[in-house]
Amino acid sequence: NPLGTNPSMRDSLWDGLTDQHAKTPMGVTAENLAEQYNISRQECDEFAIRSQQTWAKAKENGVFDLEIAPVEVKPTKKNPNPFVDTDEHPRPSSTFEKINSLPPVFKKEGGVVTAANASGICDGAGSIILASEEAVVQHDLTPLARIASTHVSGCEPTIMGIGPVEAIRGALEQCANGTTLGSMDRVEINEAFAAQCLACAKELDIDMDKFNVNGGAIALGHPLGASGSRIMAHLAHNFSVHPQHNLTVGAACIGGGQGIAIVLERA
């Protein structure tokens, strides 16, 4: 601090999760969408439990084995396993009754966003390789998927969570042969908040049997800067797990009022 200026203690995480232009915390943007789309606390908590339970089922079935690179660590008495090969954030034993008793965080009266139905703040890393067709041939690579289209859109910052809607619509418009959302075998939207995700699902009329079927950020957590690569790696490996699938779309909202979407097709 400059000489003569009183130093102030600030929560850098809270600052980072607050839109400095709109002066709106990210959690409040989710509350705004819940009000706009008439999304209840019960719906949010049910969606959160769905995220936890579908993650647990997918983990049990080895769905994530293809996309997780184990990290070797020093064994301890508490954790004798020398490898970290499972995400630590999920809480599959969570119950609706338990999380429904938690108080809302951002809107004390009638709020829907709680610690259990929002994405957890956690550490994480993701890596993907993007290669041109020329590079694939030159280096004898076997691609997992091909990017069919991408789109970035803007929206009102105070409802930033709705950003994936226009991003997905824009990405679909760029695809060939009149591709529609119904053509997608899987739809993934980052679960920043249950209310935000449900608002997108309602606006797009997403088939829930195709939507975030292996859990999302409510279970896995949302390591800022890594979630996008996690979602796309998950969808790319989906083609190996499901030989009958040909098209998927992944999307995320972005603080400040944006959305991003990528359509993948079988390579």
Side-chain angles (χ1 to χ4, degrees):
N1 290 284
L3 183 64
T5 302
N6 291 327
S8 61
M9 299 292 290
R10 297 175 63 88
D11 186 329
S12 60
L13 182 60
W14 181 264
D15 283 352
L17 293 176
T18 298
D19 185 323
Q20 298 302 317
H21 175 72
K23 307 300 181 187
T24 308
M26 295 297 97
V28 173
T29 70
E31 291 285 5
N32 293 340
L33 284 172
E35 184 174 343
Q36 181 174 332
Y37 284 87
N38 194 30
I39 296 168
S40 68
R41 167 69 185 271
Q42 179 170 334
E43 287 177 284
C44 291
D45 287 348
E46 287 174 348
F47 186 79
I49 293 297
R50 174 186 185 267
S51 184
Q52 299 285 358
Q53 292 178 347
T54 51
W55 174 86
K57 184 178 180 180
K59 172 60 183 174
E60 182 181 349
N61 292 334
V63 171
F64 302 109
D65 292 350
L66 291 172
E67 61 195 77
I68 291 182
V71 177
E72 189 171 4
V73 297
K74 184 178 180 180
T76 63
K77 289 184 179 180
K78 185 177 180 181
N79 182 24
N81 183 6
F83 293 98
V84 176
D85 58 6
T86 302
D87 286 295
E88 297 175 319
H89 189 273
R91 296 186 177 185
S93 61
S94 299
T95 64
F96 175 84
E97 291 73 22
K98 178 65 175 178
I99 71 170
N100 195 241
S101 67
L102 297 175
V105 177
F106 298 93
K107 187 179 178 182
K108 301 304 181 182
E109 295 295 327
V112 302
V113 178
T114 72
N117 64 36
S119 58
I121 297 168
C122 65
D123 295 326
S127 177
I128 54 178
I129 297 175
L130 182 64
S132 66
E133 187 173 359
E134 180 183 7
V136 167
V137 174
Q138 180 181 349
H139 298 282
D140 193 25
L141 303 176
T142 302
L144 293 172
R146 177 182 174 274
I147 294 179
S149 68
T150 66
H151 190 72
V152 177
S153 64
C155 65
E156 166 58 42
T158 57
I159 51 170
M160 67 90 205
I162 206 69
V165 169
E166 290 306 319
I168 289 174
R169 286 172 175 163
L172 293 173
E173 287 176 4
Q174 295 179 41
C175 291
N177 305 320
T179 302
T180 65
L181 190 60
S183 308
M184 300 295 110
D185 296 300
R186 285 283 186 266
V187 179
E188 290 272 336
I189 295 178
N190 189 44
E191 294 174 357
F193 302 92
Q196 160 265 328
C197 236
L198 288 170
C200 292
K202 285 189 175 185
E203 180 64 33
L204 289 169
D205 193 22
I206 297 174
D207 181 350
M208 296 302 285
D209 289 336
K210 299 179 178 181
F211 183 47
N212 290 15
V213 299
N214 297 317
I218 291 174
L220 287 158
H222 178 18
L224 299 180
S227 291
S229 61
R230 186 205 69 79
I231 289 171
M232 300 320 299
H234 183 63
L235 288 176
H237 283 291
N238 175 77
F239 294 119
S240 300
V241 178
H242 298 282
Q244 75 278 22
H245 288 181
N246 295 304
L247 288 167
T248 62
V249 61
C253 57
I254 303 170
Q258 297 180 77
I260 187 169
I262 300 176
V263 175
L264 296 182
E265 64 182 9
R266 180 175 292 280

